[in-house]
Amino acid sequence: MAFFLGLIAFGNRASAAEPNYVISTDATYAPFDFQDKNNQYIGIDQDILKEVAKRNHFTYTLKPMAFNSAAQMVANGQADGIIAGMAITDERKQVYDVSDPYYNTGVAWITKKGSKLTSLSDLKGKTVALKSGTAAANYGLSLQSKYGFKVKYFNDTDTMYNDVVNGNSAATFEDMPVIQYAIKNGLKLQVQNANDLGNAGAYGFFVKKGQNPQLIKAFNSTLKEMKADGSYQKIVNKYLKSDQKTFTGSASDNDSTWGILKSNKKSIWNGLVETIKLTIFAIILASLWGLILGVMGVSQSKFLRGLSTTIIYTFRGLPLMVLAFFIYIGLPGVLHTKVPAFTAGLLTLILNEGAYTGAFVRGGFEAVNVGQMEAARSLGLPYGKAMAKVIVPQGLKIMVPSFVNQFIITLKDTSILSAIGILELTQTGTLIVARNSQGFRVWAIVGVIYLILITLLTWLSNWLEKRLN
């Protein structure tokens, strides 16, 4: 027995000796950060990070999400570091401590294949797509006044690319190795300035300024070792010179809807389960919170009525994505505590959907004929019992169609939470598209799954309505 206890104690000491860091990254930035055909996060960044962790005896928890959210997580203390093809700039050095450069790059400007645009002057009056928060976007923006084009922003790379492919935008700006990978992967774009790249710069590993200096030191020393022993160049060659089928799968995996569904069934299933979990918990908790707000809204207490109105007004007025960012990225910086993504997403849905529920619950109670309350009170029932026995049962029947509608809205709103890194159905689709560039087929699959879920939820709600009536 003592022997086994000794082993456990030794194991605990060994685990404690290896610190665990939270590292954020861009989920859709191939060949630096993306998911492969086996749904593993890979890329130049990820392979370097694994080697740094291995040689310096630490573990890490990866948090893949949209680039801006990933960067904000570090700035607000939700993550210890970020590696995401993030360019080293003077502005970023004011907020972060940065490693030695690990990859030199330059910005290309890109059009759809076969475009007649051949110079930046041809972009005058046209729209250019940019990925918000990137050095490539900043470079493109710096040319806007000179060449007279309009800009619009996207949060993920693949949507930006396809906006150009589909002709909605005339061009985009992107780091050269990233666009090279996308074109090699079959995206119908072409580089216009391959021999004259702009905004030459470098990528680095970032931590919050004044924190985690040991991470920067470990990264720099390991990077130096990797360049000396050749392992760094092997990683770069692996992603820039290999056949892309190595990562995306065979043609049969990507050239048909069935192939995509079959080769990605595990990740799609996991995304579906996460969506269902969020929906069920949010529907139950938001409904309960909405009922409380609705009851408060018809209370005899002026204070409770005012409080209900204020809460409903506030959380109905806040866009869902803003609320999600505030809870997940904003609050931790103030409270100095980390908020798990699922918890932040669920709380976002409860507050937002609960406010809408509270509004129609209050309206449902107020829709019950005022004579019902008067009759109940005249029979000697106190206000609380009159509400519980007379008003609430009648009001709930009036509200059933509104509840059904709100359930469906809650299911669809879970897709917005992909912005804070929750790997639900929409984020799963984004990751698959980033890998195989099959936007039409992937989003058709995701759309059909949502329609099936909404149909099942509607049938369940209709059955419940009939039972209540």
Side-chain angles (χ1 to χ4, degrees):
M1 183 68 177
F3 173 74
F4 287 112
L5 290 173
L7 279 179
I8 293 171
F10 176 79
N12 288 337
R13 286 196 299 271
S15 298
E18 291 192 355
N20 180 271
Y21 297 104
V22 176
I23 307 296
S24 63
T25 188
D26 190 335
T28 58
Y29 201 59
F32 292 93
D33 309 281
F34 64 108
Q35 260 194 1
D36 67 3
K37 59 187 177 184
N38 299 314
N39 310 122
Q40 300 298 313
Y41 287 100
I42 62 169
I44 295 172
D45 288 352
Q46 298 310 313
D47 284 12
I48 292 174
L49 180 61
K50 285 178 185 177
E51 197 64 26
V52 172
K54 179 182 176 182
R55 297 191 188 192
N56 292 277
H57 308 291
F58 68 81
T59 59
Y60 62 91
T61 302
L62 196 67
K63 294 288 185 180
M65 61 186 66
F67 175 73
N68 279 338
S69 300
Q72 282 297 311
M73 280 191 71
V74 179
N76 288 303
Q78 281 273 67
D80 299 301
I82 176 173
I83 186 165
M86 190 166 169
I88 300 171
T89 65
D90 291 337
E91 292 80 8
R92 285 174 178 159
K93 287 181 180 179
Q94 301 299 314
V95 181
Y96 308 94
D97 289 329
V98 60
S99 71
D100 295 335
Y102 67 84
Y103 193 91
N104 294 320
T105 185
V107 177
W109 74 277
I110 306 110
T111 62
K112 65 187 293 186
K113 201 169 183 180
S115 172
K116 295 180 180 179
L117 303 174
T118 57
S119 71
L120 289 170
S121 300
D122 295 334
L123 294 177
K124 185 174 183 179
K126 294 180 171 59
T127 300
V128 170
L130 301 174
K131 183 178 178 181
S132 58
T134 63
N138 291 338
Y139 176 69
L141 197 61
S142 72
L143 301 175
Q144 183 184 15
S145 58
K146 180 178 180 180
Y147 293 103
F149 53 78
K150 296 174 284 187
V151 300
K152 61 179 176 180
Y153 291 94
F154 294 89
N155 285 324
D156 69 276
T157 305
D158 184 73
T159 306
M160 178 183 73
Y161 289 160
N162 280 291
D163 201 63
V164 179
V165 171
N166 295 328
N168 296 320
S169 293
T172 185
F173 289 85
E174 183 58 282
D175 289 350
M176 189 60 173
V178 180
I179 193 60
Q180 281 178 318
Y181 181 91
I183 291 173
K184 193 174 182 180
N185 201 28
L187 209 60
K188 295 178 180 177
L189 296 171
Q190 65 183 42
V191 176
Q192 296 291 353
N193 63 327
N195 297 320
D196 185 25
L197 298 179
N199 200 41
Y203 295 154
F205 173 70
F206 293 77
V207 300
K208 187 175 181 180
K209 199 166 188 66
Q211 297 185 12
N212 295 311
Q214 71 281 4
L215 268 177
I216 295 292
K217 183 179 178 181
F219 189 93
N220 287 341
S221 62
T222 302
L223 180 63
K224 188 176 180 180
E225 292 171 6
M226 291 173 67
K227 287 184 175 180
D229 63 27
S231 56
Y232 168 83
Q233 197 57 47
K234 284 182 181 178
I235 290 173
V236 173
N237 292 342
K238 172 183 173 182
Y239 291 98
L240 296 186
K241 295 186 177 181
S242 298
D243 189 332
Q244 301 312 297
K245 291 179 182 178
T246 305
F247 314 118
T248 63
S250 64
S252 62
D253 290 336
N254 297 298
D255 288 350
S256 70
T257 300
W258 175 248
I260 292 171
L261 193 58
K262 186 178 178 182
S263 60
N264 295 282
K265 59 181 181 294
K266 183 179 179 182
S267 61
I268 292 174
W269 172 253
N270 291 338
L272 174 60
V273 169
E274 195 74 358
T275 293
I276 292 173
K277 279 167 53 182
L278 274 169
T279 303
I280 291 174
F281 283 126
I283 283 175
I284 294 171
L285 297 175
S287 296
L288 291 173
W289 177 232
L291 282 169
I292 293 171
L293 290 175
V295 171
M296 288 168 57
V298 294
S299 169
Q300 287 181 307
S301 167
K302 188 175 181 181
F303 171 76
L304 288 179
R305 292 199 306 273
L307 181 61
S308 172
T309 300
T310 302
I311 293 172
I312 290 172
Y313 174 82
T314 300
F315 290 106
R316 282 176 71 186
L318 285 173
L320 196 66
M321 189 176 291
V322 172
L323 183 58
F325 283 144
F326 176 76
I327 293 172
Y328 187 57
I329 297 174
L331 277 182
V334 178
L335 302 178
H336 305 292
T337 183
K338 295 178 181 179
V339 180
F342 187 90
T343 302
L346 183 59
L347 186 56
T348 299
L349 291 173
I350 292 170
L351 292 174
N352 184 266
E353 313 297 341
Y356 281 97
T357 301
F360 68 69
V361 166
R362 182 178 60 192
F365 291 152
E366 290 174 342
V368 177
N369 193 297
V370 68
Q372 297 291 311
M373 175 61 80
E374 293 173 354
R377 296 303 299 276
S378 68
L379 292 173
L381 288 176
Y383 180 82
K385 275 195 173 181
M387 281 293 298
K389 300 288 186 181
V390 180
I391 304 302
V392 170
Q394 295 183 65
L396 285 175
K397 289 183 179 181
I398 297 171
M399 301 170 208
V400 168
S402 297
F403 269 111
V404 172
N405 186 56
Q406 197 60 42
F407 292 166
I408 293 171
I409 291 172
T410 301
L411 169 60
K412 292 190 291 184
D413 281 350
T414 59
S415 64
I416 296 175
L417 301 179
S418 61
I420 60 171
I422 296 180
L423 196 53
E424 42 65 72
L425 196 55
T426 299
Q427 179 72 340
T428 299
T430 300
L431 293 173
I432 295 171
V433 172
R435 180 176 71 246
N436 65 16
S437 301
Q438 296 292 323
F440 176 81
R441 292 188 177 97
V442 173
W443 292 121
I445 292 169
V446 172
V448 168
I449 293 173
Y450 271 115
L451 284 174
I452 292 171
L453 288 176
I454 288 169
T455 300
L456 293 174
L457 186 57
T458 303
W459 285 349
L460 178 63
S461 301
N462 289 339
W463 174 82
L464 181 62
E465 183 178 1
K466 287 178 182 178
R467 290 295 300 270
L468 288 173
N469 287 330

